[in-house]
Amino acid sequence: MHLAAHFPGVNNTTVWADPRSRSQIDFSSFEQLARTAERGKFDFFFLAEGLRLREHNGRVHDLDVVGRPESLTVLNALAAVTDRLGLAATVNATFNEPYELARRLATLDHLSAGRAAWNVVTSSDAFTGENFRRGGYLDRADRYTRAAEFVATARELWDSWTPDGESRPFAHEGPQFTISGEFTVPRSPQGHPVVIQAGDSDEGREFAASAADIIFTRHGTLEAGRTFYADVKARLAAYGREPGSLKIMPGVTVVVGDSDAEAQEKAAGIRRQQVSPQNAILTAEQIWGTDLSAYDPDGPLPEIDPVPDSEITQGRVRHGDPFAIVARWRALAEAKGLSLRQTVIETTTRQSFIGSPRTVAAELTSFVDERAADGFILVPHLTPSGLDDFVDRVVPLLQESGAFRSEYTGSTLRSHLGLPEPVWKG
């Protein structure tokens, strides 16, 4: 089993109102969570990215006011206070250029002695692109085309130095990039930093099968996980790859209690914190596409129809047909007698493992044994103490059963993941 730690930040999981929650800007927060993950022998530490503060109804979204620092800068600092933990940065392939980003990633790989990873994401919205010189707009159909060539070009740059330390000129000419010259950073300890792809869409799955070492996904049930796992692994053969060359790691939440009942009660309390009355209204407004501030979050769902193609929220993608989503919400609310807030709580819950330490350990192991995942990226709700219970109470049981390592056996992230160093293609 592979395990990674996602640093809580700008999302619907983090509970900033909890008195135990601390800054996600201060370096001490990053350091504490990373040290906890390394104490638990995790494979890597994962940072998300945000290139613009989202806006909702013309104002900065409540969950974004804390902002988000630049990932690679933070990870270079963490390289100095960790020894074995992998360091994964989310960096956008739409708003960067291959030479500069390949150089920054290779630098992190050197400074960390082979622990760097790049989570490749894309963006097609002009709202985010306004922060960039060219406006940044990229047609949605082209974003994976650019990303695929971006990754291939970065790998050409990393391969422009031989394993023996000789620099050779590079030249790349393609639809997205035409560049040539000499790369300034020698071949790094891993050859290439580990590449992660985040996405569940068909185009995202195909991109991961062709170019990624890890796919960061989400699925809510064991059966959904098995279906996704089988689909993605089956795509690898077309690219001459073996099933073990791509690790499938869904993002999950974990709540641990002394008993299963206590954990369920604890999880319900966390969900109420995550979906406050105000956040329930904000979430519903993203679905309905209109101002719902006059509605009672503890009352029934709005009877009005959603507004298609609404721009009430900027910088956040609307997922799915709003009419279909509203229909599902109404059917659920009617069947279970749920209020608006209760409906939001029930429909927005992430994949969760809830129970006693032994129950959680068994369920995690079952997902791996049943080929629904190769491991998990844990998304705690607290910064920076959200991993403590899991590392102190669940990890020892996973180690005891042989499902997870007791010690690191290698020094690089590729060694943790069981991935070979890429063959040099100079």
Side-chain angles (χ1 to χ4, degrees), residues 371-385:
R371 298 187 178 183
D374 292 310
F376 308 92
I377 298 177
L378 274 67
V379 185
H381 71 285
L382 286 179
T383 306
S385 60

Side-chain angles (χ1 to χ4, degrees), residues 281 285 291-297 302 340:
I281 293 295
E285 287 178 341
D291 188 337
L292 300 177
S293 58
Y295 287 82
D296 180 1
L340 172 59

